[in-house]
């Protein structure tokens, strides 16, 4: 059984020929490459899901504050509003946004998270899956399988481009996370492998060029809110793909374009905290405050 | 190129905020402490580059101390490591420094044990929580700790290497990479052996007893 693939075209070919979903291929690949059996692999992913759930809960209900004091508490604010008021983008979207913010706030306050694919983008995938899982009454088994769909997309991006902000900007980091989330949602809700790849492609297209410009070099501002827009982007693109909307530019070409754009970003806009929001008067003032703290 | 697992993408499980500045720092501390041996009483961390700049905000300081205490990067106690260290009577200090032409996330860890022996370990956090050890006691080395790793400190003499590999052979341990680093002929040297499977205590004991040229042996598995 052939389970190795290096891009979207190969992956969808394997899926079509074997009549299997992306998550199934990814699990089979994992069994082949590791010394673990299928059950152990599934269980390990389920434990990851649990840690993800806990980090969401913590951020939504507890008081968290980052070490620098720059972020914390916004997830709670968003939750209190969607629980009590009508919101512009609806309850589910707000729940997802609050959850993504929650995980990043927990991360910034030195709590436990699962990098997905990085710590700076660790809110998007959990927020997407857990929110939809709750609202649609989907089992943890199914959600864990969707995490394998996500990992296949993340693997392709890592292999052919990058998921590091320092290398490819925020489009690579939160962009990859959002693409992973979008594809996972598509398979979770019954979509085809092609639709999953289309959703991933559209997600990256939507934020192509996004720079990495964290204040004081810390994973806080604007990272928390970039995770919020990441999950919203994943929601929109998974819905479009499930409706049958196709990406004009195929997934593999989008990934390549993203990589090229990333490499052409100046150094100032790749995690060095020398450009973008980090170089605004307020960004510089906050950096000085943090660095002078003893 | 490395063959990524699903768990390289969805993972690692870690304490935030940063895989390179927090998780990687904890791993560096852990590996250093293994090399430093038991009874470490005093640790000085010389922080270089981005580690020196942002260590407070990223909790690099807490992660390094947690590593010295033997914690994994996903240990919930990591954020309390400094308090725990103080309770245990471990002294630590952070000094911002310039180590020269090194990776931006580099730390030199100077450990002193109860009897006053010093061990210096330098390493870098090279991204995604991965690390690289680059110096032990001033000797340039290189290993990542991604594989189970044996660090053997020996007197550089003919036959020592053959002795060690023979024992590994007997126990059917496959060596993935092996390198020897030394100051100059006949002096202290390090043998770094990366293996496919974890090396048992029995094997380590056998190697230790194989001759007095073997000064010390440390077994490291950082991930
Ligand atoms: S701005 Fe940079 S550090 Fe922040 S989430 Fe985006 S890529 Fe990560």
């Amino acid at each position: 059984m052939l389970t190795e693939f290096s891009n979207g075209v190969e992956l969808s070919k394997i899926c079509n020929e074997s009549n299997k979903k992306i998550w199934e291929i990814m699990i089979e690949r994992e069994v082949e490459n590791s010394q673990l059996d299928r059950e152990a692999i599934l269980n390990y992913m389920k434990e990851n899901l649990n840690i993800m759930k806990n980090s969401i809960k913590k951020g939504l209900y507890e008081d968290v504050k980052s070490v620098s004091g720059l972020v914390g508490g916004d997830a709670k604010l968003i939750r209190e509003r969607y629980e009590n008021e009508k919101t512009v983008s609806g309850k589910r979207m707000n729940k997802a946004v609050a959850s993504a913010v929650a995980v990043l706030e927990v991360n910034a306050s030195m709590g436990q998270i699962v990098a997905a694919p990085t710590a700076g983008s660790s809110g998007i995938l959990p927020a997407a899956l857990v929110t939809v899982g709750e609202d649609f009454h989907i089992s943890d088994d199914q959600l864990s399988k969707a995490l394998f769909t996500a990992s296949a997309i993340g693997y392709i991006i890592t292999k052919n481009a990058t998921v590091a902000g320092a290398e490819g900007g925020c489009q690579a980091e939160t962009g990859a996370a959002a693409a992973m989330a979008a594809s996972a949602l598509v398979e979770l809700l019954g979509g085809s492998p092609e639709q999953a790849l289309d959703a991933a492609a559209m997600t990256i297209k939507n934020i192509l060029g996004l720079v990495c410009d964290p204040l004081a070099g810390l994973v806080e501002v604007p990272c928390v809110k970039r995770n919020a827009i990441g999950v919203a982007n994943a929601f929109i693109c998974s819905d479009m793909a499930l409706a049958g909307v196709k990406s004009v530019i195929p997934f593999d070409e989008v990934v390549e374009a993203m990589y090229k754009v990333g490499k052409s970003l100046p150094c100032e806009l790749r995690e060095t905290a020398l450009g973008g929001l980090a170089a605004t008067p307020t960004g510089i003032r906050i950096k000085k405050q943090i660095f002078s703290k003893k | 190129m490395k063959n990524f697992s699903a768990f390289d993408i969805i993972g690692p499980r870690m304490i935030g905020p940063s895989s390179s500045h927090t998780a990687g720092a904890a791993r560096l501390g852990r590996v250093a402490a293994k090399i430093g041996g038991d009874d470490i009483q005093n640790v000085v961390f010389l922080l270089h580059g981005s580690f020196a700049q942002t260590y407070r905000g990223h909790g690099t300081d807490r992660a390094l101390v947690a590593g010295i205490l033997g914690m994994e990067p996903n240990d919930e106690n990591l954020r309390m490591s400094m308090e725990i260290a103080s309770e245990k009577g471990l002294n630590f200090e952070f000094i911002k420094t310039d180590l020269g032409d090194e990776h931006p996330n580099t730390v030199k860890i100077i450990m002193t044990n109860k009897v006053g022996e010093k061990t210096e370990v330098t390493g870098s956090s090279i991204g995604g929580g991965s690390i690289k050890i680059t110096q032990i006691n001033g000797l340039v080395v290189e290993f990542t700790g991604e594989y189970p790793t044996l660090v053997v400190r020996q007197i550089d003499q003919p036959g020592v290497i053959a002795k060690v590999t023979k024992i590994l052979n007997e126990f059917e341990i496959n060596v993935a990479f092996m390198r020897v680093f030394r100051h100059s002929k006949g002096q202290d040297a390090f043998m770094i052996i990366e293996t496919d499977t974890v090396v048992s205590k029995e094997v380590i004991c056998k190697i230790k007893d194989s001759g007095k040229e073997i000064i010390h042996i440390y077994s490291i598995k950082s991930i």
Side-chain angles (χ1 to χ4, degrees), chain A:
Chain A
M1 175 65 222
L2 182 70
T3 57
E4 197 48 65
F5 54 90
S6 57
N7 55 38
V9 169
E10 287 173 24
L11 174 60
S12 85
K13 189 164 169 260
I14 295 173
C15 288
N16 284 335
E17 281 169 3
S18 59
N19 200 19
K20 284 178 179 157
K21 292 285 184 72
I22 294 173
W23 63 261
E24 287 178 87
I25 300 297
M26 198 61 186
I27 293 173
E28 282 172 17
R29 176 180 178 274
E30 200 65 30
V31 172
E32 225 159 84
N33 290 350
S34 73
Q35 278 138 9
L36 301 172
D37 61 19
R38 190 184 166 92
E39 206 189 313
I41 289 167
L42 281 168
N43 280 336
Y44 197 87
M45 197 58 104
K46 239 193 237 172
E47 283 168 32
N48 280 350
L49 176 65
N50 258 329
I51 297 171
M52 290 174 170
K53 283 186 174 176
N54 288 338
S55 58
I56 290 178
K57 225 199 237 147
K58 192 165 179 191
L60 285 181
Y61 294 96
E62 290 175 27
D63 287 314
V64 295
K65 197 97 209 135
S66 70
V67 183
S68 72
L70 210 49
V71 299
D74 287 347
K76 252 177 123 178
L77 288 180
I78 305 167
R79 177 181 60 81
E80 278 158 11
R81 177 158 182 270
Y82 75 67
E83 281 180 352
N84 299 306
E85 284 170 49
K86 235 177 160 174
T87 58
V88 178
S89 53
K91 190 168 178 181
R92 183 172 307 138
M93 181 65 93
N94 272 273
K95 214 165 144 183
V97 164
S99 301
V101 170
V103 177
L104 257 265
E105 288 180 343
V106 167
N107 181 57
S109 66
M110 300 192 77
Q112 193 176 19
I113 55 101
V114 182
T118 62
S121 60
S122 60
I124 297 170
L125 182 59
L129 288 182
V130 173
T131 303
V132 170
E134 266 176 33
D135 281 12
F136 289 64
H137 307 291
I138 295 169
S139 71
D140 281 1
D141 273 341
Q142 290 304 110
L143 294 179
S144 305
K145 285 172 182 166
L147 285 174
F148 281 99
T149 311
S151 70
I153 299 301
Y155 160 64
I156 293 174
I157 299 172
T158 307
K159 193 165 173 118
N160 298 290
T162 176
V163 298
E167 239 185 296
C170 204
Q171 56 154 12
E173 193 166 312
T174 61
M180 288 158 62
S183 63
L185 288 173
V186 167
E187 282 208 331
L188 191 66
L189 298 178
S192 68
E194 279 78 27
Q195 287 174 323
L197 287 166
D198 271 323
M202 289 189 279
T203 310
I204 296 177
K205 281 157 68 182
N206 287 350
I207 46 94
L208 201 68
L210 189 63
V211 301
C212 170
D213 49 356
L215 265 56
L218 302 177
V219 193
E220 302 191 21
V221 178
C223 316
V224 173
K225 284 152 196 149
R226 297 256 167 92
N227 276 255
I229 184 69
V231 73
N233 189 8
F235 269 23
I236 294 163
C237 293
S238 61
D239 265 336
M240 286 200 284
L242 284 164
V245 175
K246 291 196 168 46
S247 174
V248 174
I249 313 292
F251 174 68
D252 290 333
E253 290 179 38
V254 173
V255 171
E256 200 193 327
M258 183 275 277
Y259 193 38
K260 281 189 182 150
V261 169
K263 279 197 293 196
S264 64
L265 285 175
C267 185
E268 285 78 10
L269 298 174
R270 282 186 282 134
E271 217 181 86
T272 51
L274 296 170
L277 297 173
T280 56
T282 303
I284 292 169
R285 182 173 50 77
I286 289 175
K287 177 180 167 170
K288 279 196 187 132
Q289 274 169 9
I290 290 172
F291 285 172
S292 65
K293 245 197 246 172
K294 275 283 156 224

Side-chain angles (χ1 to χ4, degrees), chain A residues 51 54 58 106 110-113, chain B residues 15 71-81 84:
Chain A
I51 297 171
N54 288 338
K58 192 165 179 191
V106 167
M110 300 192 77
Q112 193 176 19
I113 55 101
Chain B
I15 301 297
M71 290 183 204
E72 299 274 2
N74 66 343
D75 195 315
E76 290 274 12
N77 284 326
L78 189 146
R79 54 182 301 168
M80 300 299 294
S81 67
I84 297 170

